Amino acid sequence: MCTLEKRGNLFILTLTGDDQHRINPKLIGDLLSLLSQVKAQATRGSALITQAQGKFFSNGFDLDWAQAAGSEQGASERLLHMVESFKPVVAALLSLPMPTIASLTGHAAACGFVFALSHDYIIMRRDRGVLYMSEVDIGLTMPDYFNAVFREKIGDASARRDLLLRGLKMKGDEAVKRGVVEAAYEGEGEVRAASVRMAEELGKRKWQGEVYAEIRKGLFPQLSAVVGLSHKTIATPKL
Amino acid sequence: MCSLEKRGNLFILTLTGQSVEHRLNPHLITSIIAALSQAKAQSSRGSALVTVSHGKFFCNGIDLDWVNAVARSNQEAQQHFDHLYHSLKRLVLAFISLPMPTVAAVNGHVAAAGVVLALCHDYVIMRRDRGVLYMSELDKGIGIPEVFMALFRAKISGSTRRDILLRGLKIKGEEALKMGIAEAVHDGEEGVTDAGTEMGDELAKRKWDGEVYVEIRKGLYPELCGMLGMTSNVTATPKL
Protein backbone atom coordinates (compact mmCIF):
# COMPACT_ATOMS: atom_id res chain seq x y z
CA MET A 1 0.00 0.00 0.00
CA CYS A 2 2.69 2.45 1.01
CA THR A 3 6.37 2.33 1.75
CA LEU A 4 8.89 4.57 3.46
CA GLU A 5 12.42 5.04 2.24
CA LYS A 6 15.21 7.19 3.65
CA ARG A 7 17.62 8.76 1.20
CA GLY A 8 20.16 10.87 3.07
CA ASN A 9 18.07 13.50 4.82
CA LEU A 10 15.02 12.81 2.70
CA PHE A 11 12.09 10.66 3.73
CA ILE A 12 10.20 9.34 0.72
CA LEU A 13 6.71 8.04 1.31
CA THR A 14 5.37 6.16 -1.70
CA LEU A 15 1.83 4.99 -2.39
CA THR A 16 2.62 1.82 -4.28
CA GLY A 17 0.81 -0.02 -7.06
CA ASP A 18 -1.09 1.02 -10.15
CA ASP A 19 -4.44 1.54 -8.49
CA GLN A 20 -6.35 4.68 -7.45
CA HIS A 21 -4.74 4.74 -3.97
CA ARG A 22 -8.16 5.12 -2.43
CA ILE A 23 -8.11 6.26 1.15
CA ASN A 24 -9.56 3.56 3.39
CA PRO A 25 -8.94 2.45 6.99
CA LYS A 26 -6.01 0.21 5.97
CA LEU A 27 -4.18 2.96 4.08
CA ILE A 28 -4.94 5.47 6.80
CA GLY A 29 -3.45 3.12 9.38
CA ASP A 30 -0.33 2.62 7.26
CA LEU A 31 0.08 6.36 6.70
CA LEU A 32 -0.22 7.14 10.40
CA SER A 33 2.30 4.47 11.25
CA LEU A 34 4.83 5.63 8.65
CA LEU A 35 4.42 9.30 9.53
CA SER A 36 5.09 8.35 13.16
CA GLN A 37 8.30 6.69 12.06
CA VAL A 38 9.31 9.79 10.07
CA LYS A 39 8.69 11.98 13.10
CA ALA A 40 10.72 9.68 15.34
CA GLN A 41 13.70 9.70 12.97
CA ALA A 42 13.56 13.44 12.20
CA THR A 43 16.68 15.56 12.53
CA ARG A 44 17.61 19.10 11.53
CA GLY A 45 17.64 19.17 7.74
CA SER A 46 15.05 16.44 7.26
CA ALA A 47 12.36 16.75 4.59
CA LEU A 48 9.46 14.56 3.44
CA ILE A 49 8.33 13.80 -0.10
CA THR A 50 5.03 11.97 -0.57
CA GLN A 51 4.60 10.43 -3.99
CA ALA A 52 2.59 7.75 -5.74
CA GLN A 53 2.95 5.22 -8.55
CA GLY A 54 0.60 4.99 -11.48
CA LYS A 55 -2.06 7.27 -12.90
CA PHE A 56 -3.32 8.55 -9.56
CA PHE A 57 -1.84 10.30 -6.58
CA SER A 58 -5.08 9.45 -4.83
CA ASN A 59 -8.68 9.44 -5.98
CA GLY A 60 -10.16 10.09 -2.54
CA PHE A 61 -12.07 7.97 -0.06
CA ASP A 62 -12.78 4.31 -0.81
CA LEU A 63 -16.45 4.64 -1.70
CA ASP A 64 -16.54 1.00 -2.85
CA TRP A 65 -15.57 -0.09 0.65
CA ALA A 66 -18.26 2.19 2.04
CA GLN A 67 -20.87 0.71 -0.31
CA ALA A 68 -19.81 -2.84 0.59
CA ALA A 69 -21.51 -2.25 3.93
CA GLY A 70 -24.64 -3.39 2.14
CA SER A 71 -27.07 -0.65 3.14
CA GLU A 72 -27.39 3.12 2.73
CA GLN A 73 -27.08 3.55 6.49
CA GLY A 74 -24.03 1.29 6.62
CA ALA A 75 -22.40 3.09 3.71
CA SER A 76 -22.94 6.46 5.38
CA GLU A 77 -21.40 5.20 8.59
CA ARG A 78 -18.35 3.81 6.80
CA LEU A 79 -17.89 7.07 4.90
CA LEU A 80 -18.18 9.08 8.08
CA HIS A 81 -15.67 6.74 9.71
CA MET A 82 -13.14 7.41 6.95
CA VAL A 83 -13.79 11.16 7.12
CA GLU A 84 -13.09 11.16 10.85
CA SER A 85 -10.10 8.83 10.77
CA PHE A 86 -8.33 10.81 8.05
CA LYS A 87 -8.19 13.87 10.32
CA PRO A 88 -5.20 12.47 12.28
CA VAL A 89 -3.31 12.08 8.99
CA VAL A 90 -3.79 15.79 8.31
CA ALA A 91 -2.82 16.51 11.93
CA ALA A 92 0.32 14.38 11.60
CA LEU A 93 1.38 16.23 8.44
CA LEU A 94 0.62 19.62 9.99
CA SER A 95 2.75 18.82 13.01
CA LEU A 96 5.56 17.01 11.18
CA PRO A 97 8.86 18.58 12.25
CA MET A 98 10.21 19.10 8.71
CA PRO A 99 9.20 20.59 5.36
CA THR A 100 6.83 18.42 3.32
CA ILE A 101 6.30 18.13 -0.43
CA ALA A 102 3.48 16.34 -2.24
CA SER A 103 4.97 15.12 -5.51
CA LEU A 104 2.00 14.57 -7.83
CA THR A 105 2.58 12.48 -10.93
CA GLY A 106 -1.12 11.66 -11.26
CA HIS A 107 -4.63 12.83 -10.45
CA ALA A 108 -5.48 14.06 -6.98
CA ALA A 109 -9.19 14.14 -6.27
CA ALA A 110 -11.43 14.81 -3.27
CA CYS A 111 -9.69 13.55 -0.12
CA GLY A 112 -6.66 12.79 -2.31
CA PHE A 113 -6.43 16.47 -3.15
CA VAL A 114 -6.86 17.37 0.54
CA PHE A 115 -4.06 14.91 1.33
CA ALA A 116 -1.81 16.74 -1.15
CA LEU A 117 -2.81 20.15 0.22
CA SER A 118 -1.86 19.00 3.71
CA HIS A 119 1.76 19.23 2.60
CA ASP A 120 3.73 22.50 2.58
CA TYR A 121 4.32 22.40 -1.18
CA ILE A 122 2.73 20.65 -4.15
CA ILE A 123 4.63 19.91 -7.34
CA MET A 124 2.61 18.40 -10.16
CA ARG A 125 2.72 17.44 -13.82
CA ARG A 126 1.72 19.96 -16.44
CA ASP A 127 1.21 17.42 -19.24
CA ARG A 128 -1.06 15.07 -17.34
CA GLY A 129 -3.17 14.85 -14.23
CA VAL A 130 -5.74 17.11 -12.64
CA LEU A 131 -6.71 18.46 -9.24
CA TYR A 132 -10.41 17.91 -8.71
CA MET A 133 -12.91 18.18 -5.88
CA SER A 134 -15.54 15.76 -7.10
CA GLU A 135 -17.96 16.28 -4.24
CA VAL A 136 -20.32 18.72 -5.96
CA ASP A 137 -20.62 16.34 -8.93
CA ILE A 138 -21.35 13.24 -6.85
CA GLY A 139 -23.59 15.02 -4.37
CA LEU A 140 -21.39 14.97 -1.26
CA THR A 141 -20.92 17.85 1.12
CA MET A 142 -17.55 18.85 2.60
CA PRO A 143 -16.32 17.82 6.02
CA ASP A 144 -15.35 20.81 8.15
CA TYR A 145 -11.62 20.21 7.80
CA PHE A 146 -11.83 20.06 3.98
CA ASN A 147 -13.28 23.58 4.01
CA ALA A 148 -10.58 24.70 6.44
CA VAL A 149 -7.79 23.28 4.25
CA PHE A 150 -9.08 25.19 1.24
CA ARG A 151 -9.73 28.38 3.13
CA GLU A 152 -6.28 28.52 4.67
CA LYS A 153 -4.13 27.02 1.94
CA ILE A 154 -5.60 28.63 -1.16
CA GLY A 155 -5.59 32.42 -0.98
CA ASP A 156 -7.59 33.18 -4.08
CA ALA A 157 -11.33 33.25 -3.33
CA SER A 158 -12.32 32.56 -6.92
CA ALA A 159 -9.94 29.57 -7.09
CA ARG A 160 -11.60 28.17 -3.97
CA ARG A 161 -15.02 28.74 -5.48
CA ASP A 162 -14.04 27.18 -8.82
CA LEU A 163 -12.59 24.10 -7.15
CA LEU A 164 -15.32 23.50 -4.57
CA LEU A 165 -18.49 24.97 -6.07
CA ARG A 166 -17.82 24.36 -9.72
CA GLY A 167 -16.02 21.01 -9.70
CA LEU A 168 -13.23 22.42 -11.82
CA LYS A 169 -10.63 19.91 -13.03
CA MET A 170 -7.52 22.00 -12.68
CA LYS A 171 -4.41 21.17 -14.70
CA GLY A 172 -0.83 21.98 -13.77
CA ASP A 173 -0.35 25.31 -15.54
CA GLU A 174 -3.56 26.78 -14.15
CA ALA A 175 -2.76 25.44 -10.69
CA VAL A 176 0.59 27.24 -10.75
CA LYS A 177 -0.95 30.45 -12.09
CA ARG A 178 -3.62 30.52 -9.41
CA GLY A 179 -1.29 29.74 -6.56
CA VAL A 180 -2.65 26.29 -5.80
CA VAL A 181 0.64 24.51 -6.44
CA GLU A 182 4.28 25.52 -6.30
CA ALA A 183 5.39 24.34 -9.74
CA ALA A 184 4.46 22.07 -12.63
CA TYR A 185 6.82 20.03 -14.81
CA GLU A 186 6.66 18.00 -17.96
CA GLY A 187 6.55 14.28 -17.28
CA GLU A 188 6.85 11.99 -14.29
CA GLY A 189 10.65 11.98 -14.19
CA GLU A 190 10.91 15.77 -14.08
CA VAL A 191 8.35 16.05 -11.30
CA ARG A 192 10.20 13.53 -9.16
CA ALA A 193 13.57 15.17 -9.83
CA ALA A 194 12.20 18.63 -9.05
CA SER A 195 10.65 17.35 -5.83
CA VAL A 196 13.98 15.90 -4.69
CA ARG A 197 15.78 19.14 -5.61
CA MET A 198 13.28 21.21 -3.66
CA ALA A 199 13.39 18.88 -0.66
CA GLU A 200 17.18 19.03 -0.61
CA GLU A 201 17.18 22.82 -0.87
CA LEU A 202 14.76 23.11 2.01
CA GLY A 203 16.77 20.56 3.99
CA LYS A 204 19.95 22.61 3.55
CA ARG A 205 18.39 25.37 5.70
CA LYS A 206 18.75 23.01 8.66
CA TRP A 207 15.61 24.31 10.32
CA GLN A 208 14.79 23.23 13.81
CA GLY A 209 11.90 20.82 13.35
CA GLU A 210 9.85 21.75 16.38
CA VAL A 211 10.00 25.44 15.56
CA TYR A 212 9.14 24.70 11.92
CA ALA A 213 6.04 22.76 12.96
CA GLU A 214 4.88 25.50 15.33
CA ILE A 215 5.28 28.21 12.69
CA ARG A 216 3.38 26.02 10.25
CA LYS A 217 0.51 25.52 12.70
CA GLY A 218 0.45 29.28 13.26
CA LEU A 219 -0.11 29.74 9.53
CA PHE A 220 -3.10 27.45 9.57
CA PRO A 221 -4.83 28.07 12.90
CA GLN A 222 -8.36 27.13 11.87
CA LEU A 223 -7.25 23.89 10.24
CA SER A 224 -5.01 23.06 13.19
CA ALA A 225 -7.88 23.60 15.60
CA VAL A 226 -10.33 21.58 13.55
CA VAL A 227 -7.99 18.57 13.40
CA GLY A 228 -7.34 18.80 17.13
CA LEU A 229 -3.91 20.37 17.28
CA SER A 230 -2.88 22.94 19.85
CA HIS A 231 -0.34 25.65 19.28
CA LYS A 232 2.68 26.32 21.46
CA THR A 233 4.52 29.61 21.46
CA ILE A 234 8.21 28.89 21.66
CA ALA A 235 9.78 31.79 23.49
CA THR A 236 13.50 31.20 23.19
CA PRO A 237 14.94 32.51 19.96
CA LYS A 238 18.56 31.99 19.05
CA LEU A 239 19.44 35.64 19.29
CA MET B 1 -39.68 46.00 -10.22
CA CYS B 2 -38.35 42.64 -11.31
CA SER B 3 -39.63 39.72 -13.33
CA LEU B 4 -38.86 36.03 -13.29
CA GLU B 5 -38.89 33.88 -16.40
CA LYS B 6 -38.12 30.18 -16.74
CA ARG B 7 -36.36 29.00 -19.88
CA GLY B 8 -35.82 25.29 -19.66
CA ASN B 9 -33.74 24.82 -16.52
CA LEU B 10 -32.68 28.43 -16.37
CA PHE B 11 -34.40 31.08 -14.26
CA ILE B 12 -33.94 34.57 -15.63
CA LEU B 13 -34.43 37.35 -13.11
CA THR B 14 -34.75 40.73 -14.79
CA LEU B 15 -34.51 44.03 -12.95
CA THR B 16 -37.27 46.08 -14.53
CA GLY B 17 -39.22 49.11 -13.38
CA GLN B 18 -39.19 52.79 -14.12
CA SER B 19 -35.96 53.51 -12.37
CA VAL B 20 -33.12 53.57 -14.84
CA GLU B 21 -30.67 53.06 -12.01
CA HIS B 22 -32.49 50.05 -10.51
CA ARG B 23 -31.82 51.43 -7.06
CA LEU B 24 -32.55 49.16 -4.14
CA ASN B 25 -35.50 50.15 -1.99
CA PRO B 26 -37.83 47.94 0.07
CA HIS B 27 -40.20 47.43 -2.89
CA LEU B 28 -37.53 46.20 -5.28
CA ILE B 29 -35.89 44.11 -2.59
CA THR B 30 -39.18 42.45 -1.61
CA SER B 31 -39.88 41.83 -5.28
CA ILE B 32 -36.50 40.15 -5.81
CA ILE B 33 -36.83 38.03 -2.67
CA ALA B 34 -40.28 36.89 -3.82
CA ALA B 35 -38.87 35.96 -7.23
CA LEU B 36 -36.07 33.98 -5.59
CA SER B 37 -38.62 32.17 -3.43
CA GLN B 38 -40.49 31.23 -6.55
CA ALA B 39 -37.33 29.99 -8.24
CA LYS B 40 -36.50 27.94 -5.15
CA ALA B 41 -39.98 26.41 -5.09
CA GLN B 42 -39.75 25.46 -8.75
CA SER B 43 -36.15 24.32 -8.64
CA SER B 44 -34.90 20.85 -9.51
CA ARG B 45 -31.58 19.20 -10.16
CA GLY B 46 -29.78 21.21 -12.79
CA SER B 47 -31.49 24.54 -12.15
CA ALA B 48 -29.56 27.78 -12.48
CA LEU B 49 -30.35 31.48 -12.19
CA VAL B 50 -29.06 34.49 -14.08
CA THR B 51 -29.86 38.08 -13.09
CA VAL B 52 -29.97 40.60 -15.89
CA SER B 53 -30.74 44.26 -16.22
CA HIS B 54 -31.03 46.73 -19.09
CA GLY B 55 -29.73 50.17 -19.80
CA LYS B 56 -26.86 52.17 -18.40
CA PHE B 57 -26.99 50.63 -14.93
CA PHE B 58 -27.08 47.18 -13.41
CA CYS B 59 -27.77 48.69 -10.01
CA ASN B 60 -26.56 52.01 -8.67
CA GLY B 61 -26.94 51.30 -4.96
CA ILE B 62 -29.60 52.04 -2.42
CA ASP B 63 -32.47 54.39 -3.08
CA LEU B 64 -31.40 57.43 -1.09
CA ASP B 65 -34.45 59.32 -2.37
CA TRP B 66 -36.64 56.76 -0.66
CA VAL B 67 -34.58 57.05 2.51
CA ASN B 68 -34.95 60.82 2.56
CA ALA B 69 -38.41 61.13 1.02
CA VAL B 70 -40.80 60.57 3.89
CA ALA B 71 -38.29 61.31 6.61
CA ARG B 72 -39.06 64.44 8.52
CA SER B 73 -35.93 64.30 10.58
CA ASN B 74 -32.46 62.85 10.58
CA GLN B 75 -33.67 60.28 13.07
CA GLU B 76 -36.42 59.13 10.70
CA ALA B 77 -34.00 58.98 7.82
CA GLN B 78 -31.73 56.82 9.95
CA GLN B 79 -34.67 54.53 10.75
CA HIS B 80 -35.45 54.17 7.05
CA PHE B 81 -31.84 53.44 6.35
CA ASP B 82 -31.75 50.78 9.05
CA HIS B 83 -34.91 49.22 7.66
CA LEU B 84 -33.30 49.16 4.24
CA TYR B 85 -30.17 47.58 5.62
CA HIS B 86 -32.18 44.79 7.21
CA SER B 87 -33.99 44.21 3.93
CA LEU B 88 -30.64 44.01 2.17
CA LYS B 89 -29.46 41.39 4.67
CA ARG B 90 -32.56 39.34 3.83
CA LEU B 91 -31.75 39.75 0.15
CA VAL B 92 -28.20 38.47 0.64
CA LEU B 93 -29.59 35.55 2.65
CA ALA B 94 -32.07 34.73 -0.12
CA PHE B 95 -29.30 34.57 -2.71
CA ILE B 96 -26.82 32.64 -0.57
CA SER B 97 -29.46 30.06 0.31
CA LEU B 98 -30.70 29.62 -3.27
CA PRO B 99 -30.25 25.94 -4.17
CA MET B 100 -28.71 26.48 -7.61
CA PRO B 101 -25.74 28.23 -9.24
CA THR B 102 -26.26 31.96 -9.84
CA VAL B 103 -24.78 34.36 -12.38
CA ALA B 104 -24.97 38.17 -12.40
CA ALA B 105 -24.90 39.55 -15.95
CA VAL B 106 -23.73 43.08 -15.16
CA ASN B 107 -24.74 45.13 -18.19
CA GLY B 108 -23.63 48.53 -16.92
CA HIS B 109 -22.59 50.53 -13.89
CA VAL B 110 -22.76 48.81 -10.57
CA ALA B 111 -22.16 50.75 -7.40
CA ALA B 112 -22.30 50.44 -3.61
CA ALA B 113 -25.19 48.16 -2.61
CA GLY B 114 -25.42 47.24 -6.30
CA VAL B 115 -21.97 45.69 -6.02
CA VAL B 116 -23.28 43.76 -3.04
CA LEU B 117 -26.17 42.54 -5.19
CA ALA B 118 -23.77 41.40 -7.91
CA LEU B 119 -21.45 39.70 -5.42
CA CYS B 120 -24.39 37.77 -3.96
CA HIS B 121 -24.16 35.67 -7.10
CA ASP B 122 -21.70 32.80 -7.53
CA TYR B 123 -20.33 34.32 -10.74
CA VAL B 124 -20.18 37.86 -12.13
CA ILE B 125 -19.95 38.69 -15.83
CA MET B 126 -19.27 42.29 -16.80
CA ARG B 127 -19.33 44.47 -19.85
CA ARG B 128 -15.97 45.21 -21.40
CA ASP B 129 -16.90 48.35 -23.33
CA ARG B 130 -18.97 50.19 -20.75
CA GLY B 131 -19.72 50.38 -17.09
CA VAL B 132 -17.69 50.47 -13.93
CA LEU B 133 -17.82 48.68 -10.62
CA TYR B 134 -17.47 51.21 -7.84
CA MET B 135 -17.78 51.12 -4.08
CA SER B 136 -18.66 54.76 -3.61
CA GLU B 137 -18.95 54.70 0.15
CA LEU B 138 -15.49 56.07 0.89
CA ASP B 139 -15.95 59.03 -1.43
CA LYS B 140 -19.40 59.71 -0.01
CA GLY B 141 -18.26 59.43 3.58
CA ILE B 142 -20.56 56.53 4.38
CA GLY B 143 -19.46 53.52 6.37
CA ILE B 144 -19.90 49.98 5.07
CA PRO B 145 -22.22 47.70 7.05
CA GLU B 146 -20.72 44.58 8.58
CA VAL B 147 -22.62 42.09 6.42
CA PHE B 148 -21.31 43.75 3.27
CA MET B 149 -17.77 43.60 4.66
CA ALA B 150 -18.25 39.90 5.35
CA LEU B 151 -19.44 39.40 1.76
CA PHE B 152 -16.30 41.09 0.45
CA ARG B 153 -14.09 39.07 2.76
CA ALA B 154 -15.80 35.91 1.57
CA LYS B 155 -15.67 36.52 -2.14
CA ILE B 156 -12.71 38.77 -2.87
CA SER B 157 -9.07 38.20 -2.02
CA GLY B 158 -6.49 40.32 -0.24
CA SER B 159 -5.21 43.38 -2.02
CA THR B 160 -8.16 43.45 -4.41
CA ARG B 161 -10.49 43.94 -1.44
CA ARG B 162 -8.38 46.84 -0.29
CA ASP B 163 -8.39 48.38 -3.76
CA ILE B 164 -12.16 48.18 -4.08
CA LEU B 165 -13.05 49.37 -0.58
CA LEU B 166 -10.23 51.58 0.58
CA ARG B 167 -9.18 53.18 -2.66
CA GLY B 168 -12.47 54.18 -4.27
CA LEU B 169 -11.44 52.70 -7.60
CA LYS B 170 -13.84 52.78 -10.54
CA ILE B 171 -13.15 49.38 -11.99
CA LYS B 172 -13.85 48.63 -15.62
CA GLY B 173 -14.67 45.17 -16.94
CA GLU B 174 -11.17 44.15 -18.07
CA GLU B 175 -9.70 45.25 -14.77
CA ALA B 176 -12.39 43.39 -12.85
CA LEU B 177 -11.51 40.28 -14.84
CA LYS B 178 -7.81 40.62 -13.99
CA MET B 179 -8.62 41.27 -10.34
CA GLY B 180 -10.67 38.11 -10.13
CA ILE B 181 -13.95 39.92 -9.40
CA ALA B 182 -15.48 39.05 -12.75
CA GLU B 183 -15.49 35.66 -14.38
CA ALA B 184 -15.63 36.99 -17.93
CA VAL B 185 -16.19 40.21 -19.89
CA HIS B 186 -18.18 40.75 -23.08
CA ASP B 187 -18.92 43.61 -25.42
CA GLY B 188 -22.33 45.20 -25.51
CA GLU B 189 -25.38 44.71 -23.34
CA GLU B 190 -26.58 41.81 -25.45
CA GLY B 191 -23.13 40.25 -25.30
CA VAL B 192 -23.20 40.25 -21.52
CA THR B 193 -26.77 39.06 -21.23
CA ASP B 194 -26.19 36.25 -23.74
CA ALA B 195 -22.99 35.23 -21.99
CA GLY B 196 -24.86 35.23 -18.68
CA THR B 197 -27.58 32.92 -19.94
CA GLU B 198 -25.02 30.71 -21.68
CA MET B 199 -23.07 30.36 -18.48
CA GLY B 200 -26.28 29.63 -16.60
CA ASP B 201 -27.11 26.89 -19.09
CA GLU B 202 -23.61 25.41 -18.82
CA LEU B 203 -23.76 25.30 -15.04
CA ALA B 204 -27.25 23.80 -15.20
CA LYS B 205 -25.94 20.97 -17.40
CA ARG B 206 -23.85 19.69 -14.47
CA LYS B 207 -27.13 18.64 -12.84
CA TRP B 208 -25.97 19.43 -9.32
CA ASP B 209 -28.15 18.57 -6.36
CA GLY B 210 -29.41 21.93 -5.08
CA GLU B 211 -29.31 21.03 -1.40
CA VAL B 212 -25.72 19.79 -1.64
CA TYR B 213 -24.79 22.87 -3.69
CA VAL B 214 -26.02 25.23 -0.97
CA GLU B 215 -24.13 23.29 1.71
CA ILE B 216 -20.89 23.50 -0.25
CA ARG B 217 -21.51 27.22 -0.82
CA LYS B 218 -22.06 27.71 2.93
CA GLY B 219 -18.80 25.88 3.63
CA LEU B 220 -17.01 28.34 1.36
CA TYR B 221 -18.43 31.38 3.18
CA PRO B 222 -18.77 30.44 6.85
CA GLU B 223 -18.31 33.93 8.33
CA LEU B 224 -20.94 35.47 6.07
CA CYS B 225 -23.37 32.61 6.60
CA GLY B 226 -22.92 32.78 10.35
CA MET B 227 -23.77 36.47 10.25
CA LEU B 228 -26.87 35.75 8.20
CA GLY B 229 -27.99 33.18 10.74
CA MET B 230 -27.65 30.21 8.42
CA THR B 231 -27.07 26.85 10.05
CA SER B 232 -25.38 23.88 8.46
CA ASN B 233 -27.23 20.74 7.49
CA VAL B 234 -26.10 17.18 8.08
CA THR B 235 -23.92 15.70 5.37
CA ALA B 236 -26.13 14.56 2.53
CA THR B 237 -25.97 10.89 1.65
CA PRO B 238 -23.96 10.57 -1.51
CA LYS B 239 -25.15 8.47 -4.38
CA LEU B 240 -22.40 5.97 -3.91
Side-chain angles (χ1 to χ4, degrees):
Chain A
M1 287 219 102
C2 56
T3 60
L4 182 65
E5 177 199 340
K6 193 155 190 281
R7 234 189 269 169
N9 276 331
L10 301 191
F11 291 93
I12 301 177
L13 180 61
T14 308
L15 303 174
T16 53
D18 237 319
D19 59 9
Q20 292 186 8
H21 310 298
R22 289 270 180 173
I23 295 166
N24 56 31
K26 169 103 187 25
L27 180 57
I28 291 171
D30 288 348
L31 286 172
L32 285 173
S33 160
L34 293 180
L35 288 172
S36 255
Q37 272 184 52
V38 171
K39 185 172 183 175
Q41 296 172 40
T43 58
R44 263 181 192 269
S46 294
L48 170 82
I49 297 174
T50 302
Q51 61 182 24
Q53 294 169 346
K55 273 209 194 123
F56 290 86
F57 178 72
S58 168
N59 208 20
F61 288 126
D62 193 342
L63 299 179
D64 284 345
W65 178 75
Q67 208 159 13
S71 70
E72 206 180 282
Q73 165 89 346
S76 271
E77 278 168 12
R78 283 193 174 186
L79 181 57
L80 196 60
H81 173 68
M82 287 188 286
V83 167
E84 281 310 302
S85 44
F86 192 71
K87 266 191 190 176
V89 175
V90 177
L93 282 167
L94 274 184
S95 51
L96 207 68
M98 67 186 70
T100 58
I101 299 173
S103 179
L104 272 48
T105 48
H107 307 299
C111 188
F113 185 6
V114 168
F115 181 32
L117 281 171
S118 300
H119 294 69
D120 298 323
Y121 305 92
I122 299 178
I123 295 179
M124 67 185 283
R125 272 177 89 155
R126 45 191 305 257
D127 55 326
R128 270 197 218 169
V130 295
L131 302 170
Y132 170 45
M133 290 304 278
S134 48
E135 283 80 351
V136 70
D137 287 330
I138 60 178
L140 259 174
T141 55
M142 302 291 160
D144 53 2
Y145 66 103
F146 280 27
N147 282 321
V149 165
F150 274 81
R151 205 157 47 239
E152 292 195 314
K153 290 259 184 171
I154 298 180
D156 182 21
S158 55
R160 289 196 299 268
R161 176 212 53 200
D162 285 348
L163 286 167
L164 295 180
L165 208 56
R166 199 174 176 172
L168 176 66
K169 289 178 182 171
M170 194 180 272
K171 289 188 184 165
D173 286 341
E174 189 179 353
V176 173
K177 188 159 159 236
R178 299 179 85 171
V180 177
V181 308
E182 190 60 22
Y185 293 90
E186 202 85 23
E188 193 181 279
E190 277 211 41
V191 168
R192 297 213 202 277
S195 304
V196 168
R197 265 194 325 266
M198 184 170 201
E200 284 175 342
E201 257 171 58
L202 294 167
K204 273 193 202 131
R205 304 289 292 271
K206 299 243 169 274
W207 289 316
Q208 209 187 94
E210 205 190 302
V211 172
Y212 188 85
E214 288 306 311
I215 293 174
R216 186 203 277 125
K217 284 191 282 181
L219 269 178
F220 310 116
Q222 278 174 33
L223 177 60
S224 300
V226 144
V227 298
L229 291 173
S230 58
H231 184 47
K232 290 198 292 266
T233 20
I234 298 176
T236 326
K238 56 176 211 296
L239 288 165
Chain B
M1 300 254 74
C2 78
S3 67
L4 185 71
E5 179 199 335
K6 193 165 191 270
R7 223 189 280 172
N9 275 333
L10 187 63
F11 291 95
I12 302 171
L13 174 67
T14 308
L15 305 177
T16 55
Q18 303 292 66
S19 159
V20 149
E21 295 185 15
H22 307 294
R23 288 211 178 232
L24 292 160
N25 56 38
H27 312 293
L28 177 55
I29 293 171
T30 307
S31 170
I32 297 175
I33 293 177
L36 293 176
S37 267
Q38 215 184 311
K40 184 173 183 176
Q42 294 173 31
S43 68
S44 59
R45 237 178 213 281
S47 291
L49 178 121
V50 60
T51 302
V52 306
S53 179
H54 298 293
K56 220 171 156 190
F57 294 87
F58 178 74
C59 174
N60 208 24
I62 61 172
D63 191 345
L64 288 166
D65 288 343
W66 177 85
V67 171
N68 291 318
V70 210
R72 283 161 301 185
S73 66
N74 275 339
Q75 190 186 49
E76 262 185 62
Q78 184 62 48
Q79 277 170 6
H80 282 198
F81 186 84
D82 289 343
H83 175 55
L84 196 48
Y85 173 57
H86 287 291
S87 301
L88 279 166
K89 265 176 105 167
R90 288 191 302 116
L91 181 62
V92 175
L93 175 62
F95 269 103
I96 303 288
S97 49
L98 199 67
M100 64 185 78
T102 56
V103 181
V106 176
N107 56 293
H109 299 303
V110 59
V115 177
V116 171
L117 174 60
L119 286 179
C120 278
H121 296 72
D122 297 321
Y123 304 93
V124 172
I125 296 181
M126 280 182 74
R127 227 179 126 157
R128 181 193 281 121
D129 54 325
R130 270 196 217 169
V132 293
L133 186 147
Y134 170 45
M135 285 301 281
S136 49
E137 282 81 351
L138 185 59
D139 289 331
K140 294 214 159 83
I142 308 174
I144 298 177
E146 213 25 53
V147 165
F148 298 177
M149 291 303 287
L151 183 62
F152 275 88
R153 282 195 292 270
K155 301 249 185 166
I156 313 251
S157 316
S159 58
T160 302
R161 239 176 13 239
R162 175 208 60 199
D163 285 347
I164 303 178
L165 298 174
L166 213 53
R167 207 168 170 177
L169 283 184
K170 288 181 181 167
I171 302 165
K172 288 188 187 167
E174 284 286 7
E175 201 53 38
L177 181 65
K178 271 193 219 128
M179 290 165 95
I181 304 163
E183 190 58 25
V185 285
H186 294 270
D187 290 302
E189 185 180 293
E190 229 182 273
V192 168
T193 311
D194 286 346
T197 49
E198 260 171 55
M199 182 169 198
D201 283 332
E202 254 176 63
L203 293 166
K205 275 194 203 131
R206 302 288 287 271
K207 295 243 167 277
W208 292 318
D209 178 313
E211 218 182 280
V212 169
Y213 190 82
V214 178
E215 283 309 304
I216 295 176
R217 192 196 272 135
K218 283 197 280 187
L220 267 176
Y221 313 126
E223 190 206 1
L224 175 65
C225 293
M227 244 185 244
L228 295 171
M230 296 170 81
T231 49
S232 268
N233 278 334
V234 179
T235 306
T237 323
K239 55 178 213 282
L240 291 165

